[in-house]
Amino acid sequence: MRFENDDAVIGAGPDLALRRIERTDRVEAVVAPRDWPSARVEAWLDWAEGLAGDFPAIDLPEALSPHAPYDPLLAEGPDRYARRAAAWGLKLGLFAGTDDALAFRQALFASLAKGQAAPAQSFNAGVRLTSGDAPPIAAQVLQLDDIEFGPALARHVAALRADQAAAAGARLVADRLGDVTAAVQRCEGDGSACADPLRNLALGRAARAAREAGAPDALILNAIGLASSGQAGWAAAEPRANHRPPLVLCAPRELVQSGCPEATAAAHAAWEGASLALAFDLQDAEALERAATAPRAAIDLAGFMDPDGEIDAAGLEACARLWTVALEIDLSAGFAADSAAAARRAALRPLGLTLAGLGDVLAGRGLAYGSPTGQSAARDLFAILAAASTLASAQLAQVLGPYPDYEADKADKLAALKHQAALAKDTPARALFAKALKAATQGGLRHAETVALFDDVELSLRLGGEPIGPQPWSGPLIFAESQDDLLIPHMSPAAMAGLERLGADLRAAERRLLGEASLRDAPGIDHKALEARGFTEHEIGLAEQMLPILRDLRAAFAPAVIGAGFVGDVLGATAQDLADPAFDVLAFAGFSPDQIAQTQAFACGAGSLAGFEALSEAQSAPFLAAEDIGTPALIAMIAAVEPFSGAPSQIGLTLAWTDAPADAAKLQAAAARAGLRAVRMTRQAAPGGLTLDLPAVDEPPMRRPAPAPVVTERVVEKVVERDRTRRKLPDRRKGYIQKASVGGHKVYLHTGEYDDGELGEIFLDMHKEGAAFRSLMNNFAIAISIGLQYGVPLDEFVDAFVYTRFEPAGPVTGNDSIRSATSILDYIFRELGVSYLDRQDLANGDPGEFNADGLGQGKGGAPLDDEDPEDALQPASRFISKGFARGSAPDNLLFLPVGGRKGAAPAEASADVCPSCGGLSMTLKGQGLVCTACGETKAGSVS
């Protein structure tokens, strides 16, 4: 493979200086770029310490030899990485000759030295993937319909809880054992007595507390023995929590959107802290699992951005090609954590190349992150990255051959390339995709995926803190180190370029962000207000000197800054006040929280342009930080650039610590609706010093003689638990149909009953209403019916829906008990309450007494004028359906109003059965019985 350098990559090197970097255990002199902060330099030093040092056993030129002197930049890390990569590329046959290998080494070193790109931390030992060393292993993806889905998810969560409990337990046991050693060492006297818990009471209490915390007695004895030998404290390593590989799940998108129980369980597990990813397609799930083991690198867009925020597309293309080759070498000659991780790389050879600094580019152009124009600009940049890396992969395949499974994937890969080319219309990436498609058609692709969307904190730090992938930037403020290692905030160049491009007031924005660094003319607490409370120019000057550094008004007026003697002698603070770390001098001096907040914004700045009155909403939108943008904008941006990524996004959607598990399920469903190929969620860590307010535990009362038992009457309540399964109605059921008119709108109410007469379903039909309203009422009736069949008491529905108010409403005709209603639902549930629950208080028989509340006077039951009196005999056919009974009820069956309706007067005499017609209609007339139905007479009396 021929390799030619590009001036955009090589170019002029950085301004170097000998820096003194304070490490964990030493201070180190390092050659590093002059303008890099110490944290960035230290991150590169950590990376350099973990580099692999193995070189291939071939004849190498002097410039690639591991024995030749290295460039001292960043503790020789960039030169060692570039030299090793070039040597292994020569060994693998990737380069056409030594000159190409040297050119590659020079370009890779320059890219690292200028901070244009950085690789992720790689392993310097483990399993190396070479041809045939490890058979491919199929991706282990759990699908929603797998029988192991639930148990595997439960095991994953259980392992997480075990890790969390182990970490908490280890800390607690270490603290208690530290108390044991301290109790021994504080003891003065005989050594054997100090080490005896029975004679050293402090040791006994500490040992008992350690046992209660879970420490075994043998470990307690070890702590006592070590303390007796002079060892102080008890140090224990912090256990690694949640170090297991992510669990990859797969579920259909529509089920996740609907919140199915399995998807909800996965969301709850992610809320709890489990490391898992949920994909919506099996191929995406397998790619997601492979991407976790792929070698990774990120290209910083800031290295290719001009002062106007425009990107050098040719330079970005050359850098993407360079790092695709570097990651190919890392894939073949690098190490994996274990054989399983190495085997996952074998069949499809995935790479993970991404961009960093997208927020700077958008801000420099004056484009809002969540706007369509911002998403389009991000899509174009990732399209260039995808096209250039795919073209490099196709060129590598012509030299080294395609990945083993390419033939099986050829149709899908070529179709995906065509789709990406169509999305990249009218952009520089279109021509690159055309070249990549032609090369892939001829010789295949070396990698199944080359672009990935992921997050890596350490990698971000090596690139100056730029967010990785399509994430929003950290805000318009950046911090520069002074000569005395103080961090001085100032506005970022991208923010300045964007504000100037939009014509905004740059000075006003700077004052908003950084503040005035002075209290003179402050709106809340100025010099005069401070002097009135006893402060002198000396104390005010000391506080103002610390304002640009501390950026906190309260901290600038802390006793340690302005002097504890002044705070105590002049302001009157006590020694206890001065010892309190949270002591607020300004509040103690009498300033209100509003005054402190106003002065804080004036003197120290707000740190954000959100809500700034001097800028319009369009002007401030491009300069909002991640916390001001919100998760929906991040989801939309990921969905915009994800088509150019080989694997789904691995960037976690952040849940607040205060979010509930239901919020996690909602966020997961929102990601599915937005079109994301996969979703990962992470929850913010608990705030430091979090304590739970618990009720005070009362001391156990002193033992007293038990009082004599007092026999009292007990009320025994029988609790009946109902089965929550659905109770089916009989196929042939009884009920009634009630026709009525509410406010001139006809309503038909159909009921269905169980064999015992309990209501089990209702149907509603309305005439001359709109289709939407009728459909809504029909589905409402279905919902009520399902609730009744699952055991919801009818009286709960009645109490919930009576007295509801909406049109149609008004007088009710056609119902003998309900004469007025405030809505259709009010009428329906009044009728059901009267008919099935004997709720006569819901009847309102007199329409003239209907008032605004719809209650009437609670009267009911008066017969209609055109009906028979209630005490008259009624044929059974009026109440029993002849069709339902199928003729089993005789025609001469009559109903007597025995008992009547509620409130009716009782009958004067009982009735007997007529021997002639069979009716219960024999009544006493004089000294005999007379059938009021057929006239049959019978001597005797009613029994």
Side-chain angles (χ1 to χ4, degrees):
M1 179 178 179
R2 299 295 304 171
F3 197 91
E4 297 179 358
N5 285 331
D6 190 281
D7 291 339
V9 177
I10 300 298
D15 182 16
L16 302 179
L18 186 63
R19 306 273 299 275
R20 293 179 62 85
I21 304 299
E22 185 175 352
R23 307 296 302 277
T24 304
D25 55 348
R26 66 189 184 277
V27 176
E28 187 173 349
V30 181
V31 177
R34 189 183 303 275
D35 58 345
W36 283 13
S38 298
R40 183 177 185 182
V41 176
E42 189 172 358
W44 278 97
L45 298 181
D46 292 338
W47 167 79
E49 290 178 351
L51 289 178
D54 60 315
F55 278 70
I58 60 173
D59 292 333
L60 294 171
E62 180 68 17
L64 300 182
S65 171
H67 307 295
Y70 289 101
D71 190 294
L73 177 66
L74 298 173
E76 304 178 347
D79 195 12
R80 286 192 286 126
Y81 179 85
R83 192 179 300 189
R84 177 184 178 275
W88 275 105
L90 199 59
K91 160 71 174 178
L92 296 171
L94 191 149
F95 301 118
T98 303
D99 292 341
D100 289 327
L102 293 175
F104 172 77
R105 179 254 177 196
Q106 183 184 9
L108 193 60
F109 174 78
S111 176
L112 293 168
K114 294 194 296 184
Q116 287 182 336
Q121 190 73 52
S122 57
F123 294 93
N124 56 15
V127 179
R128 174 177 289 152
L129 174 63
T130 56
S131 300
D133 280 357
I137 297 177
Q140 300 297 315
V141 176
L142 284 174
Q143 300 189 61
L144 193 68
D145 54 357
D146 285 348
I147 193 172
E148 274 294 306
F149 186 93
L153 182 60
R155 288 194 298 270
H156 195 71
V157 174
L160 165 70
R161 294 171 180 170
D163 287 341
Q164 293 173 337
R171 287 192 294 268
L172 181 59
V173 168
D175 290 343
R176 296 296 178 266
L177 292 176
D179 295 340
V180 169
T181 60
V184 175
Q185 292 182 336
R186 285 197 306 265
C187 177
E188 296 180 359
D190 181 62
S192 60
C194 290
D196 188 352
L198 297 179
R199 291 188 284 175
N200 184 348
L201 297 182
L203 175 60
R205 289 191 296 269
R208 188 180 301 109
R211 177 189 288 174
E212 293 174 353
D217 289 358
L219 202 57
I220 297 173
L221 288 174
N222 288 348
I224 295 174
L226 291 172
S228 301
S229 301
Q231 178 172 316
W234 180 273
E238 185 77 11
R240 292 192 305 161
N242 197 20
H243 57 276
R244 289 173 175 79
L247 184 65
V248 180
L249 309 175
C250 181
R253 187 181 301 273
E254 58 274 9
L255 291 183
V256 177
Q257 291 178 242
S258 64
C260 68
E262 294 83 358
T264 300
H268 290 181
W271 174 87
E272 196 170 344
S275 178
L276 57 87
L278 180 65
F280 307 118
D281 179 80
L282 183 57
Q283 290 182 345
D284 281 339
E286 293 173 348
L288 194 63
E289 190 174 50
R290 290 192 302 270
T293 61
R296 295 176 173 180
I299 299 174
D300 187 6
L301 290 170
F304 304 94
M305 184 171 62
D306 61 21
D308 295 328
E310 299 299 329
I311 293 296
D312 177 13
L316 178 60
E317 173 194 345
C319 193
R321 179 174 178 266
L322 170 70
W323 277 96
T324 303
V325 176
L327 292 182
E328 159 62 23
I329 297 172
D330 197 359
L331 182 72
S332 298
F335 294 93
D338 50 39
S339 58
R344 289 192 185 100
R345 298 180 175 188
L348 298 169
R349 305 183 65 83
L351 303 182
L353 187 60
T354 193
L355 296 177
L358 176 64
D360 274 328
V361 175
L362 298 181
R365 294 184 185 179
L367 301 177
Y369 178 85
S371 66
T373 52
Q375 295 172 11
S376 177
R379 189 184 301 115
D380 293 345
L381 293 173
F382 275 90
I384 295 174
L385 177 69
S389 61
T390 305
L391 177 58
S393 178
Q395 293 170 345
L396 287 169
Q398 294 174 356
V399 177
L400 304 175
Y403 67 88
D405 288 353
Y406 174 74
E407 286 301 322
D409 298 343
K410 181 176 181 179
D412 292 339
K413 293 300 178 183
L414 295 180
L417 271 177
K418 293 178 182 177
H419 177 65
Q420 290 177 335
L423 292 177
K425 58 182 179 179
D426 302 329
T427 66
R430 183 68 180 270
L432 293 176
F433 274 123
K435 293 180 181 178
L437 182 60
K438 180 179 179 181
T441 304
Q442 295 175 351
L445 294 171
R446 182 63 175 167
H447 314 96
E449 300 99 21
T450 58
V451 177
L453 306 178
F454 59 88
D455 192 12
D456 188 321
V457 177
E458 293 295 328
L459 179 56
S460 173
L461 190 57
R462 288 198 293 278
L463 293 175
E466 297 289 355
I468 303 295
Q471 299 183 84
W473 71 336
S474 54
L477 282 183
I478 60 175
F479 294 85
E481 285 186 0
S482 62
Q483 293 182 351
D484 49 358
D485 294 334
L486 295 177
L487 294 177
I488 306 299
H490 60 92
M491 190 184 300
S492 69
M496 297 176 65
L499 287 168
E500 289 180 347
R501 190 166 184 165
L502 294 176
D505 187 346
L506 194 60
R507 175 57 184 154
E510 189 175 16
R511 287 197 303 269
R512 165 75 173 189
L513 290 171
L514 302 175
E516 298 290 349
S518 172
L519 298 178
R520 195 172 302 278
D521 301 326
I525 306 174
D526 58 4
H527 286 201
K528 292 182 180 180
L530 289 168
E531 291 171 357
R533 286 170 170 79
F535 291 85
T536 67
E537 292 183 1
H538 176 69
E539 288 78 28
I540 297 174
L542 291 175
E544 287 183 333
Q545 289 178 6
M546 298 303 295
L547 283 175
I549 300 172
L550 298 177
R551 299 189 56 77
D552 185 279
L553 186 65
R554 289 183 172 89
F557 278 91
V561 176
I562 63 175
F566 167 81
V567 178
D569 298 339
V570 178
L571 299 183
T574 65
Q576 184 178 1
D577 292 333
L578 296 175
D580 185 3
F583 178 60
D584 188 344
V585 173
L586 293 175
F588 184 79
F591 294 106
S592 67
D594 289 340
Q595 289 176 310
I596 297 175
Q598 291 176 4
T599 309
Q600 168 75 25
F602 175 84
C604 303
S608 172
L609 294 177
F612 184 34
E613 299 82 0
L615 299 179
S616 65
E617 184 177 352
Q619 288 176 327
S620 61
F623 312 106
L624 300 181
E627 59 269 16
D628 300 320
I629 291 174
T631 302
L634 174 60
I635 292 176
M637 182 62 80
I638 293 175
V641 304
E642 208 173 25
F644 296 103
S645 173
S649 171
Q650 303 166 66
I651 296 174
L653 304 179
T654 304
L655 291 162
W657 164 254
T658 55
D659 285 342
D663 296 321
K666 292 178 182 178
L667 180 58
Q668 182 176 263
R673 285 192 297 270
L676 265 63
R677 295 160 59 187
V679 58
R680 288 191 66 180
M681 292 182 292
T682 58
R683 189 178 174 206
Q684 292 177 345
L690 177 67
T691 55
L692 183 63
D693 291 333
L694 298 174
V697 179
D698 297 333
E699 293 294 331
M702 296 179 60
R703 291 188 177 182
R704 297 180 179 177
V710 178
V711 180
T712 58
E713 182 180 357
R714 292 188 303 164
V715 178
V716 179
E717 179 181 3
K718 183 179 181 182
V719 178
V720 179
E721 292 193 10
R722 302 187 62 173
D723 189 6
R724 292 306 177 190
T725 57
R726 188 173 181 179
R727 181 185 175 194
K728 296 289 186 180
L729 281 162
D731 293 337
R732 189 176 183 85
R733 63 202 68 164
K734 59 184 182 294
Y736 71 88
I737 302 175
Q738 173 70 58
K739 173 188 175 183
S741 178
V742 179
H745 296 254
K746 289 184 180 179
V747 182
Y748 290 84
L749 172 64
H750 303 239
T751 67
E753 302 173 4
Y754 292 101
D755 290 337
D756 59 1
E758 184 179 351
L759 180 64
E761 68 179 358
I762 64 171
F763 295 94
L764 300 175
D765 193 13
M766 299 185 68
H767 287 238
K768 298 181 180 179
E769 303 294 341
F773 186 74
R774 293 176 62 184
S775 299
L776 184 63
M777 296 301 292
N778 288 338
N779 285 278
F780 173 78
I782 293 173
I784 296 298
S785 302
I786 293 175
L788 292 170
Q789 293 167 27
Y790 270 102
V792 179
L794 176 60
D795 53 0
E796 293 289 340
F797 286 124
V798 172
D799 292 339
F801 293 107
V802 294
Y803 312 132
T804 53
R805 291 181 159 280
F806 58 86
E807 295 294 332
V812 176
T813 59
N815 192 301
D816 61 346
S817 296
I818 315 298
R819 292 302 181 90
S820 58
T822 58
S823 66
I824 294 294
L825 298 187
D826 178 53
Y827 160 71
I828 292 168
F829 287 97
R830 282 176 183 269
E831 165 60 28
L832 295 176
V834 170
S835 300
Y836 287 97
L837 302 177
D838 199 22
R839 289 283 300 274
Q840 297 300 322
D841 59 305
L842 298 177
N844 46 23
D846 186 1
E849 297 184 3
F850 173 60
N851 50 30
D853 61 7
L855 292 174
Q857 299 298 326
K859 299 179 181 179
L864 300 177
D865 296 339
D866 56 350
E867 292 181 351
D868 295 333
E870 290 186 358
D871 56 352
L873 295 174
Q874 304 292 338
S877 59
R878 181 178 176 185
F879 302 100
I880 299 178
S881 168
K882 183 176 181 180
F884 179 82
R886 289 181 171 171
S888 60
D891 295 336
N892 59 356
L893 185 62
L894 300 175
F895 278 112
L896 277 179
V898 179
R901 291 189 178 182
K902 184 176 181 180
E908 294 182 356
S910 300
D912 204 351
V913 178
C914 175
S916 177
C917 65
L920 190 67
S921 53
M922 298 291 290
T923 58
L924 182 63
K925 298 291 186 179
Q927 299 298 321
L929 298 175
V930 178
C931 179
T932 58
C934 63
E936 178 71 17
T937 61
K938 177 182 177 182
S941 59
V942 179
S943 58

